[in-house]
């Protein structure tokens, strides 16, 4: 039984969603075609453009995207606005009220839907540990 619990814990920690900041030097990388699909995100005029890539290397090569999140873009809510690594590092947020639903990554195990919290704005949402992305407005009550 202890062995089963240990294997279950290892499986859960292995499924964490990793956010990776791409280098911004515009280099072309020699990438493998080994599939480990990622959602690549690039912000253009304040709008996140999301595209699924075969792997992290191909997404980041030649500056195609700013950062990646593990998994296909289609696996997430269409309106998801991912918290970038630079947003996670901000030390201060303004007090502007623009309600956001802050959705947790897979490290947080929720017992009920939604696996999210209400926050006053996007900046404060992305400051919360284990928040992966936000959606506009208050969190849904249930599905």
């Amino acid at each position: 039984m202890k062995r089963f619990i240990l294997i279950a814990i290892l499986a859960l920690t292995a499924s964490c969603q990793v956010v990776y900041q791409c280098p911004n030097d515009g280099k072309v990388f020699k990438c493998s075609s080994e599939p480990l699909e990622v959602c690549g995100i690039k912000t253009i005029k304040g709008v996140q453009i999301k595209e699924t890539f075969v792997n992290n290397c191909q997404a980041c090569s030649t500056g195609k995207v700013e950062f990646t999140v593990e998994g296909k873009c289609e696996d997430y809510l269409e309106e998801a606005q991912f918290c970038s690594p630079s947003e996670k590092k901000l030390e201060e947020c303004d007090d502007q009220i623009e309600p956001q639903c802050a959705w947790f990554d897979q490290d947080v195990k929720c017992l009920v839907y939604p696996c999210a919290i209400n926050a006053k704005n996007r900046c404060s949402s992305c400051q919360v540990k284990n928040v992966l992305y936000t959606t506009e407005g208050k969190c849904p009550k249930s599905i």
Side-chain angles (χ1 to χ4, degrees):
M1 183 66 169
K2 287 181 184 178
R3 183 180 225 173
F4 174 75
I5 292 171
L6 179 60
I7 291 170
I9 290 170
L10 290 174
L12 289 173
T13 55
S15 68
C16 300
Q17 293 157 309
V18 175
V19 176
Y20 174 76
Q21 179 75 49
C22 295
N24 59 1
D25 54 14
K27 288 185 179 177
V28 176
F29 303 115
K30 186 171 184 168
C31 301
S32 76
S33 57
E34 184 177 335
L36 180 57
E37 292 177 312
V38 296
C39 181
I41 295 103
K42 184 171 199 149
T43 305
I44 299 175
K45 295 182 181 178
V47 177
Q48 285 188 352
I49 308 299
K50 298 173 263 192
E51 181 180 348
T52 299
F53 290 87
V54 172
N55 58 38
N56 193 60
C57 181
Q58 289 186 13
C60 291
S61 184
T62 66
K64 292 177 189 165
V65 299
E66 296 161 17
F67 65 98
T68 63
V69 179
E70 286 185 6
K72 297 177 189 178
C73 298
E74 299 79 31
D75 293 342
Y76 299 98
L77 295 174
E78 187 176 331
E79 63 272 19
Q81 294 296 300
F82 292 95
C83 295
S84 71
S86 58
E87 288 174 304
K88 287 285 200 186
K89 293 177 185 174
L90 289 175
E91 293 184 20
E92 290 186 32
C93 296
D94 63 31
D95 288 332
Q96 191 170 359
I97 305 287
E98 293 178 344
Q100 297 284 306
C101 183
W103 297 82
F104 290 110
D105 64 21
Q106 292 175 350
D107 280 349
V108 177
K109 304 299 178 208
C110 297
L111 300 175
V112 295
Y113 180 88
C115 192
I117 58 168
N118 288 304
K120 68 179 176 180
N121 59 39
R122 179 164 167 77
C123 180
S124 63
S125 298
C126 290
Q127 297 300 303
V128 177
K129 184 178 178 177
N130 295 100
V131 167
L132 183 62
Y133 63 87
T134 65
T135 53
E136 287 186 20
K138 292 190 175 192
C139 296
K141 295 199 186 284
S142 64
I143 50 176

